[in-house]
Amino acid sequence: MIWASGAREMTMGDISRVQADFVNAARRARDAGFDIVYVYGAHGYLLTQFLSSVTNHRLDAYGGSLANRARFHLETVEAVRQAVGADCAIATRMCVDGRDSIPGIHVDEVLTVISWLDPLVDLFDVNVGEWAEDSGTSRYFDEGHQRPWVMRVREATDKPIVGVGRYTSPDVMASIIRSGAVDLIGAARPAIADPFLPRKIAEGRYGDIRECTGSNICILKEETFAQVGCVQNPTAGEEYRRGWHPEEVPPIDQPERAALVVGAGPAGMECALTLARRGLAAVHLVEAEPQIGGHLRWTRQLPTMGDWGRIVDWRVIQLGREPAIEVVTGRRLTADEVADYGADIVVIATGSRWAFDGTQPGTDAIIANSDRALTPERIMAGERPAADQPVVVYDAEGYYVGPGIAELLAQEGYDVHLVTSHSVVSPVSDATLEGDLLRRHLHQIGVHMHTNIVISSLANGEVRGQTSVEQEWFLPAASVVLVTHRQPDDELARQLQEQGLTVHVIGDALLPSMTSEAIFDGHRLAREIDGPHPDYPLAYARERADGGA
């Protein structure tokens, strides 16, 4: 493999070719019937690279002064305008300030460029920073975090302006529009969570808005699996291939039946809600704990994770609006009680628990004396390690729980070592655009991070393991929190199945997975409960609507 040490400076031929590509793409879009074509230059893309005084080192007419650095952008927009004329509007997307992620892009210079583009452009779509900031997660970016820079664009143009920044609150959106600083709110992620967001705002149905969590599960799914999805909206990406409407469900066969859903975590809440919306006469949602929500009850209490509570909050509101649903909390049903309940449909959604038996994913290594460790549930229930010892949080999962527990304990004054078997801390967070932010944040608050280590033993106050190259590793006199993997809490389901009762097991009680998958599982079962084999998903369309492959 040959590695390049740097970028090659574009020749004049390269510049002409790329500009021609923009023009040809615009013509194709126009001919296909689109009303707006974009000349896209945000997120550090090529137009931004030309404009940046840090990345543009050219000595010809396309480098040096601001006018020269902006020349590529202006020429490209002008060529697209000449190609499509007045057949469709032209928009350009621009980074108005690079912040810390795109050097050499500063708002005062960009405002000047916008004024130069103004005669050619019908719509300015503006953002701040690279993609990880523009589509920043709720863990590290507040709603409307781009406002200080975006609100200045009106200084340079009277043309319509689109502003973004993970807007989810109707009141905040309306206040920005009323200010005149922007004319449109760009809300891709909130629209995935609730495609009917504008209609619900217009109708004053604020409590019905399925509010975006800012978790970026949509990006993880699209980038990793090439299939859009959403932790809040289980129908996202399923509109065509499964025929699922985000707001409508088909009426159920035999609506006089009654359902019992045991467990009111993400899967159980979604299943009960969807069954009721399909028209079942009675749906009982029974939860052993005093509050519903499952693991999200404590997930939302981890540092930076508060907005994930919207998953529970929206469903609490919706459950309360369904007259067929009765929510019972603080009651742990036995197998005999479930069997005697009299329900026609029984769904087990009892969730999962973090393992402390020494097993861990990806290796046959068993952690000796693992019963001496704490688990995330015990930490969130109030238990704490010894105050006079370092604390090892061992994360073999690779997402938010290990870092969240580490940050919580660090905030309380513990000397925390976050140890992971992965090559980086929280690799899943890289797929949600927050990996670098998370690791930088943990470093800033004093969490020590150790990667590529598989822990094998907790003994005599020491934590022992091996690195990826089989070197011995240990930390003396430490308490341990194990975040290895989750085991299904499926004992109730097994007992009922042994009695010969037909039950449907969903969510983590069936297979521990991400919250988005548990919600999807509950929704899918409720949609397909009257099918021939409801525990097995129906086949979905794999071809395009036009018949293509």
Side-chain angles (χ1 to χ4, degrees):
M1 180 178 292
I2 298 175
W3 295 94
S5 60
R8 178 179 66 83
E9 182 177 292
M10 294 174 70
T11 66
M12 297 302 295
D14 293 330
I15 290 174
S16 297
R17 175 180 55 79
V18 171
Q19 289 175 334
D21 289 342
F22 271 101
V23 167
N24 291 332
R27 286 184 177 135
R28 288 193 297 269
R30 177 199 61 189
D31 295 345
F34 284 92
D35 300 309
I36 304 175
V37 296
Y38 261 74
V39 177
Y40 204 101
H43 303 140
Y45 290 1
L46 185 61
L47 301 184
T48 301
Q49 293 169 22
F50 265 85
L51 186 59
S52 169
S53 59
V54 172
T55 57
N56 186 342
H57 302 153
R58 301 180 70 94
L59 302 177
D60 59 6
Y62 290 92
S65 68
L66 177 61
N68 283 358
R69 286 183 277 119
R71 189 183 305 278
F72 182 74
H73 197 148
L74 268 70
E75 285 183 350
T76 304
V77 172
E78 185 174 18
V80 169
R81 170 58 75 191
Q82 290 175 352
V84 301
D87 295 339
C88 49
I90 293 178
T92 190
R93 190 158 204 218
M94 302 180 65
C95 171
V96 296
D97 198 280
R99 302 277 284 119
D100 298 327
S101 55
I102 305 179
I105 300 295
H106 305 291
V107 63
D108 291 325
E109 283 195 340
V110 175
L111 292 181
T112 299
V113 176
I114 289 175
S115 69
W116 294 339
L117 287 165
D118 188 71
L120 301 168
V121 171
D122 300 297
L123 174 73
F124 287 95
D125 188 344
V126 293
N127 80 307
V128 169
E130 65 177 358
W131 192 23
E133 180 168 357
D134 183 33
S135 295
T137 66
S138 57
R139 297 179 67 183
Y140 300 109
F141 294 97
D142 294 332
E143 179 179 12
H145 61 277
Q146 301 190 26
R147 290 176 68 178
W149 301 273
V150 170
M151 299 285 272
R152 291 194 56 193
V153 176
R154 183 59 72 201
E155 299 173 20
T157 181
D158 291 326
K159 297 288 178 64
I161 300 169
V162 178
V164 296
R166 201 180 57 79
Y167 290 107
T168 61
S169 166
D171 291 334
V172 174
M173 293 187 212
S175 69
I176 293 173
I177 296 297
R178 291 192 189 104
S179 75
V182 301
D183 303 279
L184 298 164
I185 298 292
R189 290 174 292 171
I192 295 171
D194 195 331
F196 295 92
L197 173 64
R199 179 184 299 176
K200 291 176 181 178
I201 293 175
E203 295 173 354
R205 297 166 51 208
Y206 305 130
D208 287 336
I209 295 172
R210 195 186 291 108
E211 200 167 356
C212 175
T213 64
S215 62
N216 279 359
I217 293 299
C218 52
I219 293 173
L220 178 150
K221 283 178 167 286
E222 190 276 327
E223 292 290 301
T224 305
F225 304 109
Q227 169 68 23
V228 167
C230 177
V231 69
Q232 271 283 50
N233 176 13
T235 70
E238 307 295 343
E239 297 86 349
Y240 166 70
R241 70 176 195 169
R242 295 183 192 268
W244 289 359
H245 189 282
E247 300 286 311
E248 300 171 3
V249 290
I252 199 166
D253 294 342
Q254 300 175 287
E256 69 279 1
R257 291 180 292 171
L260 169 64
V261 180
V262 183
M269 288 187 294
E270 182 65 29
C271 186
L273 181 60
T274 307
L275 287 172
R277 288 179 168 176
R278 292 197 64 195
L280 271 187
V283 180
H284 283 202
L285 178 61
V286 181
E287 168 59 45
E289 299 297 330
Q291 294 180 323
I292 68 175
H295 71 273
L296 292 173
R297 287 191 303 268
W298 57 262
T299 292
R300 68 188 306 175
Q301 298 175 31
L302 290 171
T304 75
M305 297 294 295
D307 281 357
W308 283 49
R310 294 172 178 174
I311 299 168
V312 178
D313 296 343
W314 182 80
R315 286 167 177 80
V316 167
I317 293 172
Q318 300 306 309
L319 289 167
R321 292 181 175 178
E322 292 294 334
I325 293 179
E326 180 178 348
V327 178
V328 179
T329 57
R331 183 179 178 187
R332 187 177 298 276
L333 294 176
T334 65
D336 289 339
E337 288 173 327
V338 173
D340 294 340
Y341 211 90
D344 303 291
I345 299 170
V346 176
V347 179
I348 304 300
T350 44
S352 62
R353 295 184 181 277
W354 286 95
F356 59 93
D357 61 358
T359 59
Q360 50 186 316
T363 176
D364 294 329
I366 302 296
I367 303 173
N369 303 311
S370 60
D371 57 339
R372 301 179 183 180
L374 294 169
T375 61
E377 290 100 343
R378 291 170 62 184
I379 291 291
M380 297 310 294
E383 292 190 55
R384 288 294 181 269
D388 59 346
Q389 294 181 343
V391 178
V392 168
V393 177
Y394 179 50
D395 178 22
E397 182 206 30
Y399 193 17
Y400 67 84
V401 175
I405 295 292
E407 181 172 354
L408 176 68
L409 295 175
Q411 288 180 350
E412 295 179 2
Y414 286 90
D415 178 19
V416 180
H417 294 253
L418 180 56
V419 180
T420 181
S421 55
H422 298 283
S423 58
V424 296
V425 167
S426 189
V428 177
S429 294
D430 288 330
T432 59
L433 306 184
E434 57 193 340
D436 289 340
L437 294 163
L438 180 148
R439 292 183 284 268
R440 187 181 305 121
H441 177 65
L442 291 175
H443 173 72
Q444 290 171 346
I445 64 174
V447 173
H448 311 284
M449 290 174 278
H450 311 263
T451 60
N452 281 319
I453 294 170
V454 174
I455 287 180
S456 58
S457 174
L458 315 177
N460 302 319
E462 291 184 346
V463 181
R464 289 191 171 274
Q466 284 189 327
T467 69
S468 59
V469 293
E470 299 183 350
Q471 288 183 328
E472 293 297 317
W473 180 92
F474 79 99
L475 191 69
S479 301
V480 179
V481 182
L482 289 180
V483 188
T484 52
H485 68 106
R486 288 169 291 151
Q487 296 173 325
D489 191 353
D490 58 359
E491 182 62 26
L492 177 61
R494 291 177 180 275
Q495 291 175 0
L496 291 167
Q497 290 165 344
E498 289 171 0
Q499 293 181 17
L501 189 68
T502 298
V503 297
H504 308 284
V505 188
I506 60 172
D508 282 1
L510 179 65
L511 178 68
S513 57
M514 298 178 69
T515 303
S516 57
E517 308 316 293
I519 292 173
F520 176 88
D521 202 24
H523 188 87
R524 184 212 61 79
L525 178 73
R527 286 253 188 183
E528 301 177 355
I529 195 68
D530 37 18
H533 302 288
D535 292 328
Y536 302 96
L538 294 174
Y540 56 84
R542 288 174 170 82
E543 73 282 358
R544 296 203 309 258
D546 61 6

